[in-house]
Amino acid sequence: MARESTRPLVHHRPPLLVFIREHLNAAGRLDNPAITLPDEAPRTPGGISFMAGALDGVMGHHGGSAANEERARDVAEMICRVAAKPTRRRLRKLYDAVNTEDVLGLVDPVVEALVAMKPATEVVAQVGTWLASSSPDRGPTKVGIALLGVAGALDGALLHDLGSHEEYTLYAAVAFSNSRSDPEPDLFALARRVDGWGRIHCVERLRDTTNPEIARWILREGFRNSVMNEYLAYIAATTGDLRAALDDPEPDRDLLSAAGDIIDALIMGGPAEDIDDFQAAPDVVARWLDHMDDRAETLSDFITVRTI
């Protein structure tokens, strides 16, 4: 397990990890999910701003950043030099190189370049731990998380705590997926800490689970998020086997409400698979409507019936 870094500091501001940990409750969730990280640039009146994790989420789902191979190779070489001899000058140069908003477009080509260079994984983990645990800026922290995933020397507590902020959940989820032989327990725990883009990223990586506890959670709760339920409704319906769940002659209220929200989102359609992709849709809709004959009791029930 990688320990939090004791390498020399190249800055004098508190690490973002410390800030996040100060705001985590007993359940490992932020006391204010919308809390702003200290490195957030001041907002321009009337300007466009993104919720935490939104820029990476949108770019990851609906666009992309052009990879600069030369820049990525330079950063990979800096990482190797820092790993070999972590002088303050080398640390500062690497930190400045990865202190960028375009981390999503940088990480994958840097990782590819590192793999080709074949540095020792333990020293890559040391650099990753230093960046992830001591950086006061989000870009270097994200790169550090990615390096830990590549090296496979994960400090689970470090990644879960960082990942509890939506700005980092994607990077923590990818790190767990890349380095764990079975990442599902970590992804499941991380998904329950967040509600926005972070939950979307985690649940998408759990879509093939055969764990009944995880599948049940996705069906009844995990698909709900603060961005759009449409992103995860199809996964909930298929991974959670909504058709089989509605075979129950006396389904509980929570299941009926979840099913109605899933059907609503599937009909609405949008950024992910929708009602046209769901082969069991006719059976699911018919069974849910059958239950509504004598179980309809909420405004949401009425809205879903009208939508159908």
Side-chain angles (χ1 to χ4, degrees), residues 165-232:
H165 194 288
E166 303 274 358
E167 192 66 33
Y168 298 119
T169 318
L170 169 60
Y171 296 86
V174 172
F176 284 130
S177 298
N178 286 342
S179 60
R180 301 286 206 220
S181 58
D182 178 16
E184 287 191 358
D186 288 297
L187 293 172
F188 184 32
L190 196 56
R192 288 178 291 177
R193 287 190 177 214
V194 290
D195 300 299
W197 279 106
R199 175 166 290 191
I200 292 171
H201 295 309
C202 291
V203 173
E204 286 177 336
R205 287 164 174 77
L206 291 168
R207 68 187 305 154
D208 296 322
T209 186
T210 57
N211 183 314
E213 179 187 3
I214 297 176
R216 176 183 170 87
W217 176 80
I218 293 174
L219 174 64
R220 291 168 169 267
E221 179 183 352
F223 72 93
R224 293 191 173 100
N225 64 86
S226 59
V227 182
M228 290 177 70
N229 287 348
E230 287 82 351
Y231 275 106
L232 300 177

Side-chain angles (χ1 to χ4, degrees), residues 274-290:
D274 57 27
I275 196 78
D276 294 325
D277 303 294
F278 185 33
Q279 293 184 359
D283 289 340
V284 163
V285 171
R287 293 174 193 188
W288 187 81
L289 287 173
D290 285 345

Side-chain angles (χ1 to χ4, degrees), residues 153-164:
L154 295 190
D155 181 336
L158 171 66
L159 289 197
H160 279 292
D161 288 350
L162 283 171
S164 63

